[in-house]
Amino acid sequence: MKLSFNNVAKHFGDLHVIEEFTREIASGELVALVGPSGCGKSTLLHMAAGLEKPSSGSVAGDGQTIRGPHPERTLMFQENALYPWLTLEQNVALALEFQKVDKKSAAAQARAWLAKVNLGTPALSAEDDVYTNHIHADDLAAIAVRAIDQARPLRVYHAVDDSDMKMGDYFDAVARTFNLPAPPRLPRAELQQQVTPMMLSFMSESRRLRNDRLRNELGVRLRYPDVATLLKTLS
């Protein structure tokens, strides 16, 4: 995608962060923004991603004015965190709004999802349980950065850790770490009466993925090689 900045300025009240910035970045061109803290580097990226609007001037992608987030433009944040100025519900709803779900419907779905967290949603019994895949956000970011430079063309890489863990065991481990009640375990026939079809599908169709290519081709060394390592740091 070709990015075009045309006389872009960004002000936060009386603070003028960016003034009359003009630049065209060709598709596939690698550009580094260098400058002291507070000079507007992140603000410029936020405008390119559609998360911020310029106070004046315009930002365009392939000739079309950028008016908001779009799947064709991805921004990797410096920190893997929620937006601190939004509530938990608003953070959850934001992912839906990015997919063009209207704010009212997104908020309703977010409330429903968050409510399920506190309802003690059951897990599958051991004989029906399925394997799950995990990756810490810090490791995911490191993998993405490494892939930019070293990934082979049209190559698929499974961004997962080394955990060999079923879903119910994962829920139990998290519950033990934070002194929470473990979810009840139910056979599949009973579980499908208590969860949504989407949740049942998720619980039924998970597969264990291999991460050999991360190590052998990208040379990735995971900071958190499995769920147990992460939970140990949190306990």
Side-chain angles (χ1 to χ4, degrees), residues 66-139:
I66 294 175
R67 304 187 187 280
H70 191 279
E72 291 183 351
R73 288 173 277 104
T74 302
L75 174 65
M76 182 181 293
F77 293 94
Q78 290 173 294
E79 298 180 355
N80 301 290
L82 302 176
Y83 291 113
W85 58 89
L86 299 180
T87 65
L88 177 59
E89 179 183 308
Q90 290 170 333
N91 271 285
V92 174
L94 189 62
L96 294 170
E97 293 176 25
F98 285 169
Q99 300 177 55
K100 306 301 182 183
V101 176
D102 66 88
K103 286 183 176 293
K104 185 175 181 180
S105 297
Q109 290 187 51
R111 283 194 296 273
W113 290 342
L114 291 173
K116 290 181 183 297
V117 175
N118 295 317
L119 288 180
T121 300
L124 283 165
S125 58
E127 58 270 20
D128 290 329
D129 209 356
V130 294
Y131 284 95
T132 55
N133 301 284
H134 309 268
I135 191 69
H136 191 280
D138 289 349
D139 284 323

Side-chain angles (χ1 to χ4, degrees), residues 139 142-143 146 214-216 218-225:
D139 284 323
I143 291 167
R146 186 68 65 91
L214 293 184
R215 302 178 184 282
N216 301 335
L218 300 185
V220 171
R221 294 295 177 265
L222 298 175
R223 180 179 180 184
Y224 301 98

Side-chain angles (χ1 to χ4, degrees), residues 27 39 53 97 111 124 128 148 175 185 193 197 200 206:
S27 178
C39 73
K53 294 182 178 179
E97 293 176 25
R111 283 194 296 273
L124 283 165
D128 290 329
I148 291 174
R185 298 291 196 101
Q193 304 300 322
L200 180 64
S206 296

Side-chain angles (χ1 to χ4, degrees), residues 142-216:
I143 291 167
V145 171
R146 186 68 65 91
I148 291 174
D149 182 55
Q150 298 188 27
R152 300 180 185 179
L154 303 179
R155 191 71 154 166
V156 174
Y157 295 90
H158 294 151
V160 298
D161 65 19
D162 301 329
S163 298
D164 187 19
M165 179 176 278
K166 291 190 174 182
M167 186 179 298
D169 297 332
Y170 168 71
F171 292 153
D172 289 346
V174 172
R176 286 194 300 270
T177 300
F178 296 101
N179 296 316
L180 298 171
R185 298 291 196 101
L186 297 176
R188 188 182 304 277
E190 293 183 36
L191 184 79
Q192 64 185 7
Q193 304 300 322
Q194 298 193 29
V195 300
T196 65
M198 181 179 295
M199 178 64 73
L200 180 64
S201 176
F202 172 71
M203 290 181 167
S204 303
E205 298 174 5
S206 296
R207 295 291 183 270
R208 183 70 180 97
L209 301 177
R210 298 181 59 175
N211 62 6
D212 304 58
R213 292 178 181 175
L214 293 184
R215 302 178 184 282
N216 301 335

